[in-house]
Amino acid sequence: RLYLSGSVRFKDKPEVQRVEGLYLFVKAGGHGIADTYVDSDGSYNISFIPEQQPSFDFYYAGLGHDTTFIRSFTEFESDLMTWDIEL
């Protein structure tokens, strides 16, 4: 099982401070495999079992934002990772 945690912020939109409740999700093989919401501190925790897939695609949505691609991973450094997301 992979455990991923970190913080979320908008780097190019300093006026957008609210990230609490932003929906983060992961897709692999065209299917959703994990999801979570950003908490009031701008932090998130998500976990999933990275089965044999060519890539794991991360997205965000909600709070007036359309579903937006963040990043794709083809491998992970370890089973316990920190990833601070700048949107």
Side-chain angles (χ1 to χ4, degrees):
R1 182 167 285 277
L2 173 73
Y3 296 93
L4 199 60
S5 63
S7 63
V8 178
R9 71 180 186 94
F10 287 97
K11 66 178 180 178
D12 294 331
K13 300 178 185 175
E15 71 280 4
V16 179
Q17 298 298 318
R18 182 166 180 240
V19 293
E20 178 184 1
L22 196 66
Y23 180 59
L24 302 177
F25 62 99
V26 185
K27 291 177 81 173
H31 301 284
I33 60 168
D35 61 0
T36 192
Y37 288 91
V38 177
D39 69 18
S40 61
D41 294 325
S43 300
Y44 74 94
N45 293 291
I46 195 167
S47 68
F48 58 92
I49 298 172
E51 296 180 3
Q52 299 299 323
Q53 295 290 336
S55 66
F56 299 89
D57 303 323
F58 287 75
Y59 297 85
Y60 74 91
L63 302 179
H65 301 279
D66 292 333
T67 298
T68 305
F69 174 76
I70 303 171
R71 181 178 173 183
S72 184
F73 286 89
T74 55
E75 61 184 7
F76 298 99
E77 297 169 6
S78 71
D79 291 340
L80 182 60
M81 285 181 51
T82 300
W83 176 34
D84 292 328
I85 302 171
E86 291 188 333
L87 305 174

